[in-house]
Amino acid sequence: ISTGIFKEPVALPVNVGRLNLEGDGQADLTVHGGADKAVYGYAAEHYAPWKAELGRQDLPWGMFGENLTIEGGLLEDEVFVGDRFRIGTAEILAVQPRLPCFKLGIRFGTQSIVKKFAEAGRYGVYFRVLKEGQGCVNDDAEKIGETKSMISIRDLGRRLQRGRAH
């Protein structure tokens, strides 16, 4: 199975392109990638609850397949579809939550994580790249524009989950 879910943290600056981060492409472009899924960000704050719930301390950054693990400012209740962020010199737009697929189960070695992930509502955020640039490990995700959208990433994730066949 072709997958790009296995991620490793990097310390060097990374180029943020229109369709992905340099050196980190998507494997299955039929369901991943494209302009509206160019970058996947996940809140660092989600790792502590996952460690407790799963009884695992071995959850390195990138474990959920994210390109960016961001501390502060990326919680799904606080990010709305259309919000704009700057990371380094790149500008990105919040587009949609990430809904889990079986590849998350491959990453964790158990398919039970897929349901747990969906139920937890800790989806992370898919971003469209508005301005290509460069990001580095210690760059903040600075919100530079808020939308008038009334739908948060969490609300959209819940709505999309209800619409999925189980």
Side-chain angles (χ1 to χ4, degrees), residues 130-155:
L130 298 175
K131 178 184 172 197
E132 293 181 315
Q134 195 172 72
C136 196
V137 70
N138 291 320
D139 290 339
D140 292 327
E142 175 190 2
K143 191 180 279 190
I144 59 172
E146 293 183 344
T147 183
K148 294 183 186 210
S149 170
M150 296 302 291
I151 187 158
S152 70
I153 292 297
R154 182 178 313 274
D155 290 342

mmCIF file with all atom_site columns, all heavy atoms in Angstrom, residues 130-155:
data_model
loop_
_atom_site.group_PDB
_atom_site.id
_atom_site.type_symbol
_atom_site.label_atom_id
_atom_site.label_alt_id
_atom_site.label_comp_id
_atom_site.label_asym_id
_atom_site.label_entity_id
_atom_site.label_seq_id
_atom_site.pdbx_PDB_ins_code
_atom_site.Cartn_x
_atom_site.Cartn_y
_atom_site.Cartn_z
_atom_site.occupancy
_atom_site.B_iso_or_equiv
_atom_site.pdbx_formal_charge
_atom_site.auth_seq_id
_atom_site.auth_comp_id
_atom_site.auth_asym_id
_atom_site.auth_atom_id
_atom_site.pdbx_PDB_model_num
ATOM 1   N N   . LEU A 1 130 ? -1.591  29.837 0.087  1.00 0.00 ? 130 LEU A N   1
ATOM 2   C CA  . LEU A 1 130 ? -1.895  31.081 -0.613 1.00 0.00 ? 130 LEU A CA  1
ATOM 3   C C   . LEU A 1 130 ? -0.633  31.755 -1.127 1.00 0.00 ? 130 LEU A C   1
ATOM 4   O O   . LEU A 1 130 ? -0.635  32.381 -2.181 1.00 0.00 ? 130 LEU A O   1
ATOM 5   C CB  . LEU A 1 130 ? -2.638  32.053 0.311  1.00 0.00 ? 130 LEU A CB  1
ATOM 6   C CG  . LEU A 1 130 ? -3.994  31.586 0.833  1.00 0.00 ? 130 LEU A CG  1
ATOM 7   C CD1 . LEU A 1 130 ? -4.551  32.597 1.825  1.00 0.00 ? 130 LEU A CD1 1
ATOM 8   C CD2 . LEU A 1 130 ? -4.952  31.360 -0.322 1.00 0.00 ? 130 LEU A CD2 1
ATOM 9   N N   . LYS A 1 131 ? 0.436   31.653 -0.336 1.00 0.00 ? 131 LYS A N   1
ATOM 10  C CA  . LYS A 1 131 ? 1.717   32.255 -0.710 1.00 0.00 ? 131 LYS A CA  1
ATOM 11  C C   . LYS A 1 131 ? 2.812   31.264 -0.356 1.00 0.00 ? 131 LYS A C   1
ATOM 12  O O   . LYS A 1 131 ? 2.961   30.881 0.806  1.00 0.00 ? 131 LYS A O   1
ATOM 13  C CB  . LYS A 1 131 ? 1.924   33.567 0.041  1.00 0.00 ? 131 LYS A CB  1
ATOM 14  C CG  . LYS A 1 131 ? 3.253   34.233 -0.256 1.00 0.00 ? 131 LYS A CG  1
ATOM 15  C CD  . LYS A 1 131 ? 3.438   35.472 0.591  1.00 0.00 ? 131 LYS A CD  1
ATOM 16  C CE  . LYS A 1 131 ? 4.849   36.003 0.422  1.00 0.00 ? 131 LYS A CE  1
ATOM 17  N NZ  . LYS A 1 131 ? 5.196   36.926 1.504  1.00 0.00 ? 131 LYS A NZ  1
ATOM 18  N N   . GLU A 1 132 ? 3.530   30.824 -1.360 1.00 0.00 ? 132 GLU A N   1
ATOM 19  C CA  . GLU A 1 132 ? 4.638   29.919 -1.111 1.00 0.00 ? 132 GLU A CA  1
ATOM 20  C C   . GLU A 1 132 ? 5.701   30.640 -0.299 1.00 0.00 ? 132 GLU A C   1
ATOM 21  O O   . GLU A 1 132 ? 5.831   31.860 -0.362 1.00 0.00 ? 132 GLU A O   1
ATOM 22  C CB  . GLU A 1 132 ? 5.232   29.431 -2.438 1.00 0.00 ? 132 GLU A CB  1
ATOM 23  C CG  . GLU A 1 132 ? 4.279   28.555 -3.217 1.00 0.00 ? 132 GLU A CG  1
ATOM 24  C CD  . GLU A 1 132 ? 4.873   28.062 -4.517 1.00 0.00 ? 132 GLU A CD  1
ATOM 25  O OE1 . GLU A 1 132 ? 5.491   28.861 -5.243 1.00 0.00 ? 132 GLU A OE1 1
ATOM 26  O OE2 . GLU A 1 132 ? 4.713   26.865 -4.792 1.00 0.00 ? 132 GLU A OE2 1
ATOM 27  N N   . GLY A 1 133 ? 6.420   29.869 0.484  1.00 0.00 ? 133 GLY A N   1
ATOM 28  C CA  . GLY A 1 133 ? 7.464   30.454 1.310  1.00 0.00 ? 133 GLY A CA  1
ATOM 29  C C   . GLY A 1 133 ? 8.265   29.373 1.992  1.00 0.00 ? 133 GLY A C   1
ATOM 30  O O   . GLY A 1 133 ? 8.315   28.230 1.530  1.00 0.00 ? 133 GLY A O   1
ATOM 31  N N   . GLN A 1 134 ? 8.850   29.723 3.108  1.00 0.00 ? 134 GLN A N   1
ATOM 32  C CA  . GLN A 1 134 ? 9.695   28.788 3.836  1.00 0.00 ? 134 GLN A CA  1
ATOM 33  C C   . GLN A 1 134 ? 9.303   28.823 5.309  1.00 0.00 ? 134 GLN A C   1
ATOM 34  O O   . GLN A 1 134 ? 9.056   29.889 5.875  1.00 0.00 ? 134 GLN A O   1
ATOM 35  C CB  . GLN A 1 134 ? 11.156  29.177 3.668  1.00 0.00 ? 134 GLN A CB  1
ATOM 36  C CG  . GLN A 1 134 ? 12.117  28.095 4.075  1.00 0.00 ? 134 GLN A CG  1
ATOM 37  C CD  . GLN A 1 134 ? 13.535  28.468 3.702  1.00 0.00 ? 134 GLN A CD  1
ATOM 38  O OE1 . GLN A 1 134 ? 14.119  29.341 4.330  1.00 0.00 ? 134 GLN A OE1 1
ATOM 39  N NE2 . GLN A 1 134 ? 14.084  27.812 2.691  1.00 0.00 ? 134 GLN A NE2 1
ATOM 40  N N   . GLY A 1 135 ? 9.224   27.640 5.906  1.00 0.00 ? 135 GLY A N   1
ATOM 41  C CA  . GLY A 1 135 ? 8.919   27.523 7.325  1.00 0.00 ? 135 GLY A CA  1
ATOM 42  C C   . GLY A 1 135 ? 10.025  26.774 8.028  1.00 0.00 ? 135 GLY A C   1
ATOM 43  O O   . GLY A 1 135 ? 10.748  25.995 7.420  1.00 0.00 ? 135 GLY A O   1
ATOM 44  N N   . CYS A 1 136 ? 10.130  27.026 9.324  1.00 0.00 ? 136 CYS A N   1
ATOM 45  C CA  . CYS A 1 136 ? 11.164  26.373 10.123 1.00 0.00 ? 136 CYS A CA  1
ATOM 46  C C   . CYS A 1 136 ? 10.537  25.834 11.402 1.00 0.00 ? 136 CYS A C   1
ATOM 47  O O   . CYS A 1 136 ? 9.448   26.246 11.798 1.00 0.00 ? 136 CYS A O   1
ATOM 48  C CB  . CYS A 1 136 ? 12.276  27.367 10.441 1.00 0.00 ? 136 CYS A CB  1
ATOM 49  S SG  . CYS A 1 136 ? 13.777  26.561 11.021 1.00 0.00 ? 136 CYS A SG  1
ATOM 50  N N   . VAL A 1 137 ? 11.230  24.949 12.053 1.00 0.00 ? 137 VAL A N   1
ATOM 51  C CA  . VAL A 1 137 ? 10.715  24.216 13.200 1.00 0.00 ? 137 VAL A CA  1
ATOM 52  C C   . VAL A 1 137 ? 10.147  25.103 14.309 1.00 0.00 ? 137 VAL A C   1
ATOM 53  O O   . VAL A 1 137 ? 9.182   24.738 14.952 1.00 0.00 ? 137 VAL A O   1
ATOM 54  C CB  . VAL A 1 137 ? 11.781  23.231 13.746 1.00 0.00 ? 137 VAL A CB  1
ATOM 55  C CG1 . VAL A 1 137 ? 12.927  23.972 14.403 1.00 0.00 ? 137 VAL A CG1 1
ATOM 56  C CG2 . VAL A 1 137 ? 11.169  22.234 14.687 1.00 0.00 ? 137 VAL A CG2 1
ATOM 57  N N   . ASN A 1 138 ? 10.692  26.255 14.548 1.00 0.00 ? 138 ASN A N   1
ATOM 58  C CA  . ASN A 1 138 ? 10.212  27.087 15.655 1.00 0.00 ? 138 ASN A CA  1
ATOM 59  C C   . ASN A 1 138 ? 9.277   28.216 15.230 1.00 0.00 ? 138 ASN A C   1
ATOM 60  O O   . ASN A 1 138 ? 8.937   29.076 16.038 1.00 0.00 ? 138 ASN A O   1
ATOM 61  C CB  . ASN A 1 138 ? 11.399  27.660 16.436 1.00 0.00 ? 138 ASN A CB  1
ATOM 62  C CG  . ASN A 1 138 ? 12.142  26.578 17.190 1.00 0.00 ? 138 ASN A CG  1
ATOM 63  O OD1 . ASN A 1 138 ? 11.530  25.672 17.749 1.00 0.00 ? 138 ASN A OD1 1
ATOM 64  N ND2 . ASN A 1 138 ? 13.458  26.636 17.183 1.00 0.00 ? 138 ASN A ND2 1
ATOM 65  N N   . ASP A 1 139 ? 8.850   28.225 13.988 1.00 0.00 ? 139 ASP A N   1
ATOM 66  C CA  . ASP A 1 139 ? 7.935   29.266 13.522 1.00 0.00 ? 139 ASP A CA  1
ATOM 67  C C   . ASP A 1 139 ? 6.559   29.087 14.143 1.00 0.00 ? 139 ASP A C   1
ATOM 68  O O   . ASP A 1 139 ? 6.057   27.973 14.282 1.00 0.00 ? 139 ASP A O   1
ATOM 69  C CB  . ASP A 1 139 ? 7.792   29.231 11.994 1.00 0.00 ? 139 ASP A CB  1
ATOM 70  C CG  . ASP A 1 139 ? 9.048   29.689 11.277 1.00 0.00 ? 139 ASP A CG  1
ATOM 71  O OD1 . ASP A 1 139 ? 9.864   30.392 11.899 1.00 0.00 ? 139 ASP A OD1 1
ATOM 72  O OD2 . ASP A 1 139 ? 9.196   29.351 10.089 1.00 0.00 ? 139 ASP A OD2 1
ATOM 73  N N   . ASP A 1 140 ? 5.954   30.206 14.511 1.00 0.00 ? 140 ASP A N   1
ATOM 74  C CA  . ASP A 1 140 ? 4.587   30.191 15.024 1.00 0.00 ? 140 ASP A CA  1
ATOM 75  C C   . ASP A 1 140 ? 3.608   30.138 13.859 1.00 0.00 ? 140 ASP A C   1
ATOM 76  O O   . ASP A 1 140 ? 3.923   30.553 12.750 1.00 0.00 ? 140 ASP A O   1
ATOM 77  C CB  . ASP A 1 140 ? 4.304   31.460 15.839 1.00 0.00 ? 140 ASP A CB  1
ATOM 78  C CG  . ASP A 1 140 ? 5.091   31.511 17.135 1.00 0.00 ? 140 ASP A CG  1
ATOM 79  O OD1 . ASP A 1 140 ? 5.337   30.430 17.710 1.00 0.00 ? 140 ASP A OD1 1
ATOM 80  O OD2 . ASP A 1 140 ? 5.438   32.619 17.567 1.00 0.00 ? 140 ASP A OD2 1
ATOM 81  N N   . ALA A 1 141 ? 2.410   29.659 14.155 1.00 0.00 ? 141 ALA A N   1
ATOM 82  C CA  . ALA A 1 141 ? 1.302   29.751 13.205 1.00 0.00 ? 141 ALA A CA  1
ATOM 83  C C   . ALA A 1 141 ? 0.536   31.003 13.608 1.00 0.00 ? 141 ALA A C   1
ATOM 84  O O   . ALA A 1 141 ? -0.291  30.975 14.504 1.00 0.00 ? 141 ALA A O   1
ATOM 85  C CB  . ALA A 1 141 ? 0.423   28.520 13.275 1.00 0.00 ? 141 ALA A CB  1
ATOM 86  N N   . GLU A 1 142 ? 0.846   32.105 12.961 1.00 0.00 ? 142 GLU A N   1
ATOM 87  C CA  . GLU A 1 142 ? 0.244   33.389 13.305 1.00 0.00 ? 142 GLU A CA  1
ATOM 88  C C   . GLU A 1 142 ? -1.023  33.598 12.476 1.00 0.00 ? 142 GLU A C   1
ATOM 89  O O   . GLU A 1 142 ? -0.973  33.581 11.247 1.00 0.00 ? 142 GLU A O   1
ATOM 90  C CB  . GLU A 1 142 ? 1.247   34.503 13.012 1.00 0.00 ? 142 GLU A CB  1
ATOM 91  C CG  . GLU A 1 142 ? 0.703   35.890 13.206 1.00 0.00 ? 142 GLU A CG  1
ATOM 92  C CD  . GLU A 1 142 ? 1.642   36.964 12.666 1.00 0.00 ? 142 GLU A CD  1
ATOM 93  O OE1 . GLU A 1 142 ? 2.701   36.643 12.098 1.00 0.00 ? 142 GLU A OE1 1
ATOM 94  O OE2 . GLU A 1 142 ? 1.279   38.140 12.812 1.00 0.00 ? 142 GLU A OE2 1
ATOM 95  N N   . LYS A 1 143 ? -2.149  33.784 13.158 1.00 0.00 ? 143 LYS A N   1
ATOM 96  C CA  . LYS A 1 143 ? -3.398  34.042 12.438 1.00 0.00 ? 143 LYS A CA  1
ATOM 97  C C   . LYS A 1 143 ? -3.336  35.467 11.911 1.00 0.00 ? 143 LYS A C   1
ATOM 98  O O   . LYS A 1 143 ? -3.186  36.412 12.674 1.00 0.00 ? 143 LYS A O   1
ATOM 99  C CB  . LYS A 1 143 ? -4.615  33.859 13.342 1.00 0.00 ? 143 LYS A CB  1
ATOM 100 C CG  . LYS A 1 143 ? -5.932  33.858 12.563 1.00 0.00 ? 143 LYS A CG  1
ATOM 101 C CD  . LYS A 1 143 ? -7.144  33.671 13.455 1.00 0.00 ? 143 LYS A CD  1
ATOM 102 C CE  . LYS A 1 143 ? -7.351  32.232 13.798 1.00 0.00 ? 143 LYS A CE  1
ATOM 103 N NZ  . LYS A 1 143 ? -8.668  31.995 14.466 1.00 0.00 ? 143 LYS A NZ  1
ATOM 104 N N   . ILE A 1 144 ? -3.425  35.616 10.578 1.00 0.00 ? 144 ILE A N   1
ATOM 105 C CA  . ILE A 1 144 ? -3.309  36.937 9.961  1.00 0.00 ? 144 ILE A CA  1
ATOM 106 C C   . ILE A 1 144 ? -4.614  37.392 9.323  1.00 0.00 ? 144 ILE A C   1
ATOM 107 O O   . ILE A 1 144 ? -4.695  38.515 8.836  1.00 0.00 ? 144 ILE A O   1
ATOM 108 C CB  . ILE A 1 144 ? -2.167  36.971 8.924  1.00 0.00 ? 144 ILE A CB  1
ATOM 109 C CG1 . ILE A 1 144 ? -2.390  35.934 7.828  1.00 0.00 ? 144 ILE A CG1 1
ATOM 110 C CG2 . ILE A 1 144 ? -0.823  36.796 9.611  1.00 0.00 ? 144 ILE A CG2 1
ATOM 111 C CD1 . ILE A 1 144 ? -1.419  36.032 6.667  1.00 0.00 ? 144 ILE A CD1 1
ATOM 112 N N   . GLY A 1 145 ? -5.612  36.531 9.332  1.00 0.00 ? 145 GLY A N   1
ATOM 113 C CA  . GLY A 1 145 ? -6.897  36.911 8.766  1.00 0.00 ? 145 GLY A CA  1
ATOM 114 C C   . GLY A 1 145 ? -7.972  35.959 9.224  1.00 0.00 ? 145 GLY A C   1
ATOM 115 O O   . GLY A 1 145 ? -7.807  34.751 9.172  1.00 0.00 ? 145 GLY A O   1
ATOM 116 N N   . GLU A 1 146 ? -9.044  36.534 9.734  1.00 0.00 ? 146 GLU A N   1
ATOM 117 C CA  . GLU A 1 146 ? -10.167 35.711 10.168 1.00 0.00 ? 146 GLU A CA  1
ATOM 118 C C   . GLU A 1 146 ? -11.295 35.825 9.164  1.00 0.00 ? 146 GLU A C   1
ATOM 119 O O   . GLU A 1 146 ? -11.536 36.894 8.607  1.00 0.00 ? 146 GLU A O   1
ATOM 120 C CB  . GLU A 1 146 ? -10.647 36.137 11.558 1.00 0.00 ? 146 GLU A CB  1
ATOM 121 C CG  . GLU A 1 146 ? -9.624  35.855 12.636 1.00 0.00 ? 146 GLU A CG  1
ATOM 122 C CD  . GLU A 1 146 ? -10.121 36.208 14.026 1.00 0.00 ? 146 GLU A CD  1
ATOM 123 O OE1 . GLU A 1 146 ? -11.127 36.935 14.152 1.00 0.00 ? 146 GLU A OE1 1
ATOM 124 O OE2 . GLU A 1 146 ? -9.482  35.744 14.978 1.00 0.00 ? 146 GLU A OE2 1
ATOM 125 N N   . THR A 1 147 ? -11.970 34.754 8.963  1.00 0.00 ? 147 THR A N   1
ATOM 126 C CA  . THR A 1 147 ? -13.091 34.714 8.038  1.00 0.00 ? 147 THR A CA  1
ATOM 127 C C   . THR A 1 147 ? -14.367 35.143 8.747  1.00 0.00 ? 147 THR A C   1
ATOM 128 O O   . THR A 1 147 ? -14.408 35.200 9.969  1.00 0.00 ? 147 THR A O   1
ATOM 129 C CB  . THR A 1 147 ? -13.252 33.288 7.486  1.00 0.00 ? 147 THR A CB  1
ATOM 130 O OG1 . THR A 1 147 ? -14.297 33.285 6.534  1.00 0.00 ? 147 THR A OG1 1
ATOM 131 C CG2 . THR A 1 147 ? -13.583 32.307 8.579  1.00 0.00 ? 147 THR A CG2 1
ATOM 132 N N   . LYS A 1 148 ? -15.373 35.400 7.985  1.00 0.00 ? 148 LYS A N   1
ATOM 133 C CA  . LYS A 1 148 ? -16.692 35.665 8.563  1.00 0.00 ? 148 LYS A CA  1
ATOM 134 C C   . LYS A 1 148 ? -17.492 34.373 8.622  1.00 0.00 ? 148 LYS A C   1
ATOM 135 O O   . LYS A 1 148 ? -18.645 34.361 8.991  1.00 0.00 ? 148 LYS A O   1
ATOM 136 C CB  . LYS A 1 148 ? -17.419 36.728 7.746  1.00 0.00 ? 148 LYS A CB  1
ATOM 137 C CG  . LYS A 1 148 ? -16.732 38.065 7.837  1.00 0.00 ? 148 LYS A CG  1
ATOM 138 C CD  . LYS A 1 148 ? -17.476 39.133 7.105  1.00 0.00 ? 148 LYS A CD  1
ATOM 139 C CE  . LYS A 1 148 ? -16.597 40.380 7.142  1.00 0.00 ? 148 LYS A CE  1
ATOM 140 N NZ  . LYS A 1 148 ? -17.312 41.591 7.128  1.00 0.00 ? 148 LYS A NZ  1
ATOM 141 N N   . SER A 1 149 ? -16.821 33.278 8.268  1.00 0.00 ? 149 SER A N   1
ATOM 142 C CA  . SER A 1 149 ? -17.455 31.961 8.318  1.00 0.00 ? 149 SER A CA  1
ATOM 143 C C   . SER A 1 149 ? -17.843 31.653 9.755  1.00 0.00 ? 149 SER A C   1
ATOM 144 O O   . SER A 1 149 ? -17.131 31.974 10.690 1.00 0.00 ? 149 SER A O   1
ATOM 145 C CB  . SER A 1 149 ? -16.485 30.891 7.814  1.00 0.00 ? 149 SER A CB  1
ATOM 146 O OG  . SER A 1 149 ? -16.976 29.599 8.069  1.00 0.00 ? 149 SER A OG  1
ATOM 147 N N   . MET A 1 150 ? -18.954 31.010 9.895  1.00 0.00 ? 150 MET A N   1
ATOM 148 C CA  . MET A 1 150 ? -19.415 30.633 11.232 1.00 0.00 ? 150 MET A CA  1
ATOM 149 C C   . MET A 1 150 ? -19.179 29.146 11.491 1.00 0.00 ? 150 MET A C   1
ATOM 150 O O   . MET A 1 150 ? -19.661 28.618 12.474 1.00 0.00 ? 150 MET A O   1
ATOM 151 C CB  . MET A 1 150 ? -20.904 30.965 11.388 1.00 0.00 ? 150 MET A CB  1
ATOM 152 C CG  . MET A 1 150 ? -21.195 32.456 11.295 1.00 0.00 ? 150 MET A CG  1
ATOM 153 S SD  . MET A 1 150 ? -20.305 33.447 12.504 1.00 0.00 ? 150 MET A SD  1
ATOM 154 C CE  . MET A 1 150 ? -21.122 32.940 13.994 1.00 0.00 ? 150 MET A CE  1
ATOM 155 N N   . ILE A 1 151 ? -18.448 28.489 10.599 1.00 0.00 ? 151 ILE A N   1
ATOM 156 C CA  . ILE A 1 151 ? -18.239 27.057 10.797 1.00 0.00 ? 151 ILE A CA  1
ATOM 157 C C   . ILE A 1 151 ? -16.784 26.776 11.165 1.00 0.00 ? 151 ILE A C   1
ATOM 158 O O   . ILE A 1 151 ? -15.859 27.096 10.433 1.00 0.00 ? 151 ILE A O   1
ATOM 159 C CB  . ILE A 1 151 ? -18.691 26.226 9.577  1.00 0.00 ? 151 ILE A CB  1
ATOM 160 C CG1 . ILE A 1 151 ? -18.607 24.746 9.908  1.00 0.00 ? 151 ILE A CG1 1
ATOM 161 C CG2 . ILE A 1 151 ? -17.918 26.568 8.332  1.00 0.00 ? 151 ILE A CG2 1
ATOM 162 C CD1 . ILE A 1 151 ? -19.444 23.857 9.072  1.00 0.00 ? 151 ILE A CD1 1
ATOM 163 N N   . SER A 1 152 ? -16.634 26.209 12.335 1.00 0.00 ? 152 SER A N   1
ATOM 164 C CA  . SER A 1 152 ? -15.296 25.852 12.799 1.00 0.00 ? 152 SER A CA  1
ATOM 165 C C   . SER A 1 152 ? -14.871 24.544 12.142 1.00 0.00 ? 152 SER A C   1
ATOM 166 O O   . SER A 1 152 ? -15.700 23.791 11.616 1.00 0.00 ? 152 SER A O   1
ATOM 167 C CB  . SER A 1 152 ? -15.279 25.697 14.324 1.00 0.00 ? 152 SER A CB  1
ATOM 168 O OG  . SER A 1 152 ? -15.996 24.535 14.711 1.00 0.00 ? 152 SER A OG  1
ATOM 169 N N   . ILE A 1 153 ? -13.597 24.277 12.207 1.00 0.00 ? 153 ILE A N   1
ATOM 170 C CA  . ILE A 1 153 ? -13.070 23.013 11.677 1.00 0.00 ? 153 ILE A CA  1
ATOM 171 C C   . ILE A 1 153 ? -13.712 21.841 12.421 1.00 0.00 ? 153 ILE A C   1
ATOM 172 O O   . ILE A 1 153 ? -14.079 20.840 11.814 1.00 0.00 ? 153 ILE A O   1
ATOM 173 C CB  . ILE A 1 153 ? -11.530 22.988 11.783 1.00 0.00 ? 153 ILE A CB  1
ATOM 174 C CG1 . ILE A 1 153 ? -10.909 24.024 10.833 1.00 0.00 ? 153 ILE A CG1 1
ATOM 175 C CG2 . ILE A 1 153 ? -10.987 21.590 11.519 1.00 0.00 ? 153 ILE A CG2 1
ATOM 176 C CD1 . ILE A 1 153 ? -11.164 23.790 9.348  1.00 0.00 ? 153 ILE A CD1 1
ATOM 177 N N   . ARG A 1 154 ? -13.909 21.969 13.733 1.00 0.00 ? 154 ARG A N   1
ATOM 178 C CA  . ARG A 1 154 ? -14.552 20.885 14.487 1.00 0.00 ? 154 ARG A CA  1
ATOM 179 C C   . ARG A 1 154 ? -15.994 20.666 14.022 1.00 0.00 ? 154 ARG A C   1
ATOM 180 O O   . ARG A 1 154 ? -16.416 19.546 13.798 1.00 0.00 ? 154 ARG A O   1
ATOM 181 C CB  . ARG A 1 154 ? -14.537 21.145 15.989 1.00 0.00 ? 154 ARG A CB  1
ATOM 182 C CG  . ARG A 1 154 ? -15.177 19.950 16.739 1.00 0.00 ? 154 ARG A CG  1
ATOM 183 C CD  . ARG A 1 154 ? -15.171 20.083 18.242 1.00 0.00 ? 154 ARG A CD  1
ATOM 184 N NE  . ARG A 1 154 ? -13.922 20.493 18.809 1.00 0.00 ? 154 ARG A NE  1
ATOM 185 C CZ  . ARG A 1 154 ? -12.916 19.671 19.145 1.00 0.00 ? 154 ARG A CZ  1
ATOM 186 N NH1 . ARG A 1 154 ? -13.024 18.372 18.965 1.00 0.00 ? 154 ARG A NH1 1
ATOM 187 N NH2 . ARG A 1 154 ? -11.820 20.146 19.690 1.00 0.00 ? 154 ARG A NH2 1
ATOM 188 N N   . ASP A 1 155 ? -16.760 21.762 13.869 1.00 0.00 ? 155 ASP A N   1
ATOM 189 C CA  . ASP A 1 155 ? -18.147 21.618 13.418 1.00 0.00 ? 155 ASP A CA  1
ATOM 190 C C   . ASP A 1 155 ? -18.230 20.980 12.041 1.00 0.00 ? 155 ASP A C   1
ATOM 191 O O   . ASP A 1 155 ? -19.058 20.099 11.807 1.00 0.00 ? 155 ASP A O   1
ATOM 192 C CB  . ASP A 1 155 ? -18.855 22.981 13.389 1.00 0.00 ? 155 ASP A CB  1
ATOM 193 C CG  . ASP A 1 155 ? -19.117 23.542 14.779 1.00 0.00 ? 155 ASP A CG  1
ATOM 194 O OD1 . ASP A 1 155 ? -19.072 22.773 15.767 1.00 0.00 ? 155 ASP A OD1 1
ATOM 195 O OD2 . ASP A 1 155 ? -19.363 24.762 14.871 1.00 0.00 ? 155 ASP A OD2 1
#
